[in-house]
Amino acid sequence: MAEKIKPNIFYVGAKDPDRRLFDELIPLPYGTTYNAYLIKGSDKTALIDTVDPAKRDVLFKHLDQLGVDRIDYVISNHAEQDHSGSIPHVLEKYPEAKVVTNEKCKGMLMDLLHIEEEKFLVVEDGSSLSLGDKTLEFMIAPWVHWPETMFTYLKQDKILFTCDYLGSHYSFDDLYVTDQQLIYENAKRYYAEIMMPFANLAKKHLDKVQQLELDIIAPSHGQIYNHYDFILEAYRDWTSDKVKNEVVLAYVSMHGSTKEMVDHFKGELENRGITVKTFNLTGADIGELAMATVDAATIALATPTVLAGPHPAAVYAAYLIKALRPKTRYLALFGSYGWGGKTKEIIADLVSTLKAEILEPVIIKGLPREEDFNLLDNLAAEIKTKHDQLD
Ligand code: FEO
């Protein structure tokens, strides 16, 4: 069912509770939704974003339920196809509609969906568009999480449509957030997966959002917020420089030697009052791993040496961490080898673009001996000292 949000403002998006992977990469434990919104002004009707093309029938069913026979504007806040992919179908059904977006997004929509140039109405930061008794204002908000992203503010009703920003992959029954802790967790997972690499911009946009008079924040995934302080505070925290006294310990072990090191190291850290979150990379949910890296002061990677280098699962994790660019301050590496290799050099090269300090790796031969455990103790002590000095 289409759902009324305010007079003449409706949720017309689609739920996808069974989807389990996004971008063929990101696990979706709670499925997702593609939120689209219909705004009927006294003169014009606007659709804010569309839905993944696989779910376009749901969008059209909602529009039909509301008796929509004309759409004047399709606002595209973001060119990624889970929101834009149904625009060509909307233009087919409502041929009078113009696609309203910024210049960069226009170019991307022309490339990604082959929408013709004359279908666009280009707006800039601060532009407004009258629907009669309702006015849309556009805020260019790049890099959350693509370069063309923007927000749309419905002035009279104080609703901000933020597309991916502040959203969560959560297929809901209730349109509004009912369980803040649950949405906090899902929003954090989502932030880690796509927003964290651009944390500085995500932080900057918060300032703009907080200057607005707001009743509702309506993202394009997950539930909408009529009490939004908690999500703004969460973003403020995640995008800050603050880190927690935590170690994310991601590991893989082939014959148990590296695992013995992991168990010992974990115990040494915990004995020193450090929280440790462990992930066995052979079966870990990478969304959980990404989420854990949002706050942790240190990330430790433990890998055996195989075929003269780190285990491919550890390479994948290192690459992922590099891409997500967490604010972690320290990186630790340890593991065991049988006959040699370049594990240390390969991992160090993979994470070299991160700002974090790389601590002296502990790479040992075979099953760990007492002197090897002592090296891990020293590493744990060094981490403890560094965490104690955190501001
Ligand atoms: Fe939900 Fe970046 O698309």
Side-chain angles (χ1 to χ4, degrees):
M1 284 288 289
E3 291 187 62
K4 183 175 165 184
I5 296 173
K6 288 199 177 197
N8 292 320
I9 302 168
F10 301 89
Y11 176 86
V12 291
K15 297 164 192 173
D16 199 350
D18 299 323
R19 188 163 179 179
R20 283 293 165 267
L21 207 56
F22 199 83
D23 290 344
E24 301 304 321
L25 172 69
I26 296 166
L28 299 175
Y30 295 95
T32 193
T33 65
Y34 318 107
N35 299 346
Y37 304 92
L38 187 82
I39 302 170
K40 288 182 173 174
S42 54
D43 296 340
K44 305 280 187 188
T45 296
L47 178 66
I48 309 260
D49 292 316
T50 68
V51 301
D52 190 284
K55 292 286 180 186
R56 65 183 182 274
D57 289 352
V58 178
L59 170 68
F60 288 129
K61 188 178 83 181
H62 290 159
L63 295 174
D64 289 345
Q65 280 168 356
L66 294 170
V68 176
D69 54 14
R70 179 183 172 93
I71 289 176
D72 298 285
Y73 304 118
V74 183
I75 315 299
S76 180
N77 284 323
H78 177 26
E80 193 165 8
Q81 293 92 328
D82 52 323
H83 311 293
S84 69
S86 294
I87 293 177
H89 307 283
V90 171
L91 296 179
E92 227 171 87
K93 184 169 161 108
Y94 302 97
E96 66 287 346
K98 288 278 183 197
V99 180
V100 180
T101 193
N102 60 75
E103 188 68 40
K104 194 174 282 284
C105 190
K106 171 186 138 183
M108 294 176 78
L109 291 173
M110 289 171 66
D111 288 339
L112 294 171
L113 300 168
H114 297 178
I115 299 172
E116 291 167 8
E117 185 157 21
E118 58 267 22
K119 296 303 292 183
F120 287 92
L121 179 63
V122 172
V123 294
E124 295 174 353
D125 189 43
S127 298
S128 59
L129 183 67
S130 174
L131 306 180
D133 60 346
K134 296 184 187 297
T135 310
L136 299 175
E137 293 183 349
F138 304 102
M139 300 165 62
I140 305 297
W143 292 109
V144 284
H145 61 120
W146 280 13
E148 85 302 354
T149 45
M150 68 177 201
F151 305 153
T152 299
Y153 180 55
L154 176 51
K155 196 173 170 184
Q156 289 78 3
D157 297 279
K158 300 177 187 157
I159 304 177
L160 183 67
F161 302 94
T162 56
C163 207
D164 286 341
Y165 188 66
L166 308 174
S168 62
H169 282 308
Y170 180 69
S171 184
F172 51 78
D173 293 320
D174 298 302
L175 181 57
Y176 293 93
V177 173
T178 46
D179 182 339
Q180 288 192 357
Q181 187 56 37
L182 180 67
I183 295 309
Y184 174 94
E185 294 293 326
N186 280 289
K188 187 175 186 180
R189 170 189 272 264
Y190 190 51
Y191 168 84
E193 289 160 345
I194 66 165
M195 299 289 168
M196 189 160 66
F198 315 107
N200 284 344
L201 283 151
K203 181 181 185 173
K204 203 170 123 194
H205 299 330
L206 267 188
D207 296 334
K208 285 198 208 167
V209 170
Q210 289 185 308
Q211 282 167 12
L212 296 171
E213 269 190 78
L214 285 175
D215 274 355
I216 290 171
I217 295 177
S220 60
H221 296 289
Q223 289 169 304
I224 70 175
Y225 304 94
N226 50 1
H227 300 287
Y228 48 77
D229 285 350
F230 82 96
I231 193 66
L232 298 182
E233 275 167 30
Y235 261 62
R236 187 67 71 193
D237 179 36
W238 302 333
T239 57
S240 76
D241 292 335
K242 278 185 296 172
V243 287
K244 291 184 180 161
N245 182 26
E246 290 179 2
V247 173
V248 170
L249 176 45
Y251 72 92
V252 55
S253 183
M254 290 159 63
H255 299 293
S257 300
T258 299
K259 182 65 165 57
E260 280 201 21
M261 298 175 79
V262 166
D263 292 342
H264 181 88
F265 185 60
K266 181 174 189 289
E268 287 298 315
L269 291 170
E270 287 174 341
N271 287 343
R272 290 170 170 80
I274 298 170
T275 300
V276 184
K277 295 179 175 171
T278 51
F279 296 88
N280 181 341
L281 292 169
T282 56
D285 171 341
I286 59 155
E288 292 278 341
L289 174 62
M291 187 163 51
T293 67
V294 170
D295 304 300
T298 298
I299 298 173
L301 191 57
T303 176
T305 294
V306 54
L307 303 173
H311 190 286
V315 172
Y316 178 70
Y319 184 81
L320 186 71
I321 290 162
K322 174 185 122 160
L324 296 178
R325 290 160 56 191
K327 59 187 173 184
T328 190
R329 305 279 179 90
Y330 307 104
L331 293 170
L333 172 68
F334 63 88
S336 165
Y337 67 93
W339 44 263
K342 293 211 173 288
T343 290
K344 190 164 67 174
E345 292 80 359
I346 291 168
I347 294 288
D349 188 50
L350 269 174
V351 297
S352 61
T353 54
L354 291 175
K355 283 187 190 153
E357 177 186 343
I358 300 178
L359 306 178
E360 183 59 36
V362 177
I363 305 293
I364 63 121
K365 188 168 188 184
L367 195 62
R369 299 177 171 88
E370 192 180 344
E371 59 267 31
D372 302 319
F373 289 127
N374 289 341
L375 292 173
L376 289 173
D377 296 352
N378 293 343
L379 181 59
E382 185 184 8
I383 289 170
K384 165 71 175 160
T385 303
K386 289 192 179 287
H387 282 203
D388 284 347
Q389 292 166 353
L390 290 169
D391 40 70

